[in-house]
Amino acid sequence: MTAAAPLPGKRTDPRRVLAYLVLTLGVIVTLFPFAWMLLTSLKSFQELFNLAFFPVDPTLDNYRQVLGGTQFLQWFGNSLLVATVTTLSVLFFDSLVGYTLAKFDFPGKNLVFILILSTLMIPTEMLVIPWFVGVTDLHLTKSVPGAYFAILFPGLMSAFGVFLMRQFFESVPGDLLEAARIDGMHEFGIFWRIALPLVRPALASLAIFTFLGNWNAFLWPLIVIQQPQFRTLPVGTALFNGEAGTQWGLIMAASSLAVIPVLLVFAFFQRQIIEGIVLTGMKG
């Protein structure tokens, strides 16, 4: 009985090697600014303008000054509140409108959808004046809940979210929804318990975009905020850049801390996107 011939060695695919090299280069280019920001936040004032990548004598003085000598925690809390509320609002209302436009027929449905999409062509800068006039006429900035509402109300719904959710709800089988209606389930229950779980990848993507957009919002909070305690993180961080000079150490330390919630949100919803893609592949 002769021995089996050894299997030939597995050849390396040059295209796979090239793909990994390109991806590695992309990771380096993407992470370099974050690494520079973090390492710069650990430099003393004397080292800030030193072009060395790593700090010679790392220090946490910038973080101590940001956390103890400024209203950073207040700014952080305001931004977190605004970004969280607007994200939850967009996920609920945009998905509800998208579901209605995708699965119901009523007169003027296409016209409503076109009007919603047309708002995407209006620059935000053109809406700032009517927003500010409305906030001023209603005296919203005079009270605590009114001031927070004045900051977050432009982001409570988004035309992009309606468009995204409508497109995803179009792919939900109508027979599945009809079967639920025959079983006696009410319409909101069909939307909440059947249709919504099937579009989790779209919800995850919309949550990431909405949270990032409101977390980094600067122009509208800068205009509408009239009291220091309501400043958001981008507005507060901008105070470190003044006529007397720019406090780069404080800016880098505040920016390093501000990135943490963004990374957590992205990591959480990225997992939801991957799970949704896997489940979609299993159904196919």
Side-chain angles (χ1 to χ4, degrees):
M1 183 176 181
T2 59
L7 295 174
K10 185 177 180 180
R11 298 181 59 184
T12 303
D13 188 355
R15 293 176 298 180
R16 182 181 294 271
V17 175
L18 179 61
Y20 277 110
L21 290 176
V22 173
L23 290 175
T24 303
L25 179 62
V27 170
I28 294 175
V29 172
T30 303
L31 293 182
F32 179 80
F34 291 95
W36 183 273
M37 175 183 67
L38 181 61
L39 294 174
T40 303
S41 68
L42 299 175
K43 293 181 180 180
S44 61
F45 180 78
Q46 292 75 15
E47 293 185 60
L48 283 177
F49 300 99
N50 185 0
L51 296 181
F53 186 68
F54 295 96
V56 178
D57 186 18
T59 178
L60 295 176
D61 288 343
N62 293 322
Y63 290 94
R64 295 191 187 98
Q65 188 171 351
V66 166
L67 295 175
T70 67
Q71 293 180 304
F72 176 84
L73 295 178
Q74 180 70 36
W75 305 336
F76 190 94
N78 292 338
S79 290
L80 188 62
L81 175 64
V82 171
T84 301
V85 172
T86 51
T87 300
L88 294 177
S89 175
V90 165
L91 290 180
F92 178 73
F93 289 108
D94 285 16
S95 61
L96 193 60
V97 175
Y99 174 77
T100 302
L101 293 174
K103 295 303 178 183
F104 290 92
D105 291 324
F106 54 89
K109 181 180 76 170
N110 293 331
L111 177 61
V112 171
F113 184 58
I114 292 174
L115 290 176
I116 293 175
L117 290 184
S118 65
T119 61
L120 292 174
M121 297 184 292
I122 304 175
T124 303
E125 292 76 9
M126 293 183 60
L127 299 174
V128 167
I129 294 178
W131 287 347
F132 184 77
V133 171
V135 167
T136 304
D137 291 343
L138 295 176
H139 305 286
L140 292 179
T141 58
K142 301 291 180 149
S143 61
V144 173
Y148 283 117
F149 180 77
I151 299 173
L152 59 87
F153 87 88
L156 292 178
M157 290 187 66
S158 70
F160 169 75
V162 172
F163 169 77
L164 180 67
M165 298 309 301
R166 177 187 179 273
Q167 298 306 109
F168 268 79
F169 278 122
E170 288 280 0
S171 63
V172 175
D175 294 339
L176 182 63
L177 306 181
E178 190 62 32
R181 294 189 183 99
I182 295 175
D183 290 339
M185 182 176 292
H186 53 85
E187 285 297 333
F188 186 80
I190 296 174
F191 160 75
W192 187 260
R193 299 178 58 182
I194 297 179
L196 204 59
L198 295 176
V199 295
R200 284 187 300 174
L203 289 173
S205 301
L206 183 59
I208 292 174
F209 293 142
T210 304
F211 189 90
L212 290 180
N214 289 277
W215 180 263
N216 297 322
F218 176 76
L219 178 61
W220 173 245
L222 176 65
I223 294 174
V224 74
I225 294 174
Q226 300 179 2
Q227 301 179 29
Q229 66 267 28
F230 298 125
R231 287 177 180 147
T232 57
L233 197 53
V235 177
T237 305
L239 298 177
F240 299 144
N241 184 11
E243 295 181 359
T246 302
Q247 299 172 295
W248 289 110
L250 300 185
I251 291 177
M252 294 301 177
S255 300
S256 299
L257 295 173
V259 167
I260 296 176
V262 175
L263 294 178
L264 293 177
V265 169
F266 182 80
F268 175 78
F269 285 107
Q270 184 186 36
R271 183 168 61 251
Q272 301 299 317
I273 293 176
I274 294 175
E275 290 179 358
I277 295 175
V278 171
L279 291 176
T280 303
M282 293 174 61
K283 292 177 183 178

